[in-house]
């Protein structure tokens, strides 16, 4: 392992079992590469955009980066505390916003004093008012994203992973989150950023990773990676419907574990 890197992925596979089409009880389940032989290294303080079409493996990668999921094969080394900011980022629906903060802090083994500080930070940043005392199941998706983002940020992690979380909810809060992210990018935090908006990724990120069909297609400077990716998407769009279908089927077939 090389100390220079905050994140190292070496030959990482993530394999899921696919449900059978057939109703036969003992039919063997096919196995599917959500990620296949992915290797890359990231330096501390990098701002990394992750590109890839739907189903390419971005969220699988995010979850491994966040330590929520572990690889099936290969090795992952992460030198820092991570926080994942995603639409479904580990909020307990039965608990209130406030209870969610306390539980998260307790799970991380933080002191009472630290949890109190974080709570005050979340109250200020999330601006949920009285809703902080309501169960999360009564929140709108925008309110969940407010709470999730605020908790993750106030935990002051070394590595922040944003998986399409800023696209839901209200514009004003999304802008406030982007301001916060811009502030954090100057403080030596390592940030992984996934967004529907390729322009947002181009603006925000310096380095880029592109995964397609579960495999690492390219890694390099963000602008170059985004150009490659956009060309790929354009080429795909130029294909006929029949060619597109065939292309997708081949990509899928390559992801079945043989
Ligand atoms: P992305 O975020 O790039 O859209 P994902 O990482 O969510 O892609 O998914 C990659 C592939 O892995 C998809 O084909 C998806 O259906 C599959 N997948 C993701 N999670 C699971 C799971 N828990 N069980 C089975 N398949 C999964
Ligand atoms: Mg995803």
């Amino acid at each position: 392992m090389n100390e220079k890197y905050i994140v190292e992925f070496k030959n990482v596979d993530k394999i899921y079992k696919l449900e059978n089409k057939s109703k036969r009880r003992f039919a063997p389940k096919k196995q599917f590469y959500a990620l296949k032989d992915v290797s890359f290294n990231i330096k501390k303080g990098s701002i990394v955009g992750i590109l890839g079409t739907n189903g390419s493996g971005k969220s699988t990668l995010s979850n491994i980066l966040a330590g929520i999921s572990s690889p099936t094969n290969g090795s992952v080394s992460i030198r820092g505390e991570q926080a994942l900011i995603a639409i479904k980022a580990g909020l307990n629906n039965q608990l209130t916003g406030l209870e969610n903060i306390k539980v998260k802090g307790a799970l991380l083994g933080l002191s009472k004093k630290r949890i109190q500080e974080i709570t005050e930070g979340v109250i200020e940043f999330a601006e949920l008012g009285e809703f902080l005392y309501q169960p999360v199941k009564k929140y709108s998706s925008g309110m969940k994203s407010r709470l999730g983002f605020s908790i993750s940020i106030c935990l002051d992690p070394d590595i922040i992973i944003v998986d399409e979380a800023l696209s839901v909810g209200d514009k004003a809060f999304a802008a406030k989150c982007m301001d916060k992210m811009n502030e954090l990018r100057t403080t030596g935090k390592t940030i992984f950023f996934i967004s529907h908006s390729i322009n947002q990724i181009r603006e925000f990120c310096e380095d880029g990773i592109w995964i397609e069909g579960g495999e690492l297609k390219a890694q390099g400077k963000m602008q170059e990676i985004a150009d490659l990716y956009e060309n790929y998407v354009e080429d795909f769009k130029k294909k006929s419907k029949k060619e597109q279908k065939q292309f997708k089927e081949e990509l899928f077939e390559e992801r079945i574990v043989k």
Side-chain angles (χ1 to χ4, degrees), residues 108-202:
L108 290 169
L110 304 179
S111 68
K112 271 205 171 129
K113 183 165 167 281
R114 186 81 189 94
I115 294 176
Q116 191 51 40
E117 285 167 7
I118 290 166
T119 304
E120 282 161 23
V122 173
I123 289 173
E124 198 190 316
F125 196 87
E127 300 175 62
L128 286 166
E130 285 292 307
F131 272 95
L132 202 66
Y133 311 97
Q134 311 300 315
V136 167
K137 64 180 177 225
K138 298 197 177 161
Y139 285 23
S140 66
S141 59
M143 288 160 69
K144 283 186 196 169
S145 118
R146 277 174 180 258
L147 181 65
F149 186 93
S150 306
I151 294 178
S152 298
I153 290 302
C154 293
L155 286 169
D156 194 28
D158 308 303
I159 304 168
I160 300 160
I161 306 133
V162 182
D163 186 355
E164 313 228 26
L166 305 187
S167 15
V168 295
D170 52 295
K171 288 235 165 67
F173 189 70
K176 183 174 171 181
C177 292
M178 266 333 276
D179 286 347
K180 187 72 191 173
M181 300 274 294
N182 273 312
E183 184 190 314
L184 291 173
R185 74 203 290 278
T186 62
T187 61
K189 303 278 183 201
T190 305
I191 304 177
F192 292 90
F193 192 65
I194 302 171
S195 165
H196 279 307
S197 160
I198 187 148
N199 289 333
Q200 201 177 36
I201 291 192
R202 277 184 188 272

Side-chain angles (χ1 to χ4, degrees), residues 16-17 32 34 53-60 255:
Y16 288 118
K17 284 200 172 72
F32 178 80
T53 54
N54 280 339
S56 60
K58 301 181 298 299
S59 294
T60 305
R255 290 173 90 171

Side-chain angles (χ1 to χ4, degrees), residues 11 68 86 103:
N11 307 114
I68 291 166
V103 165

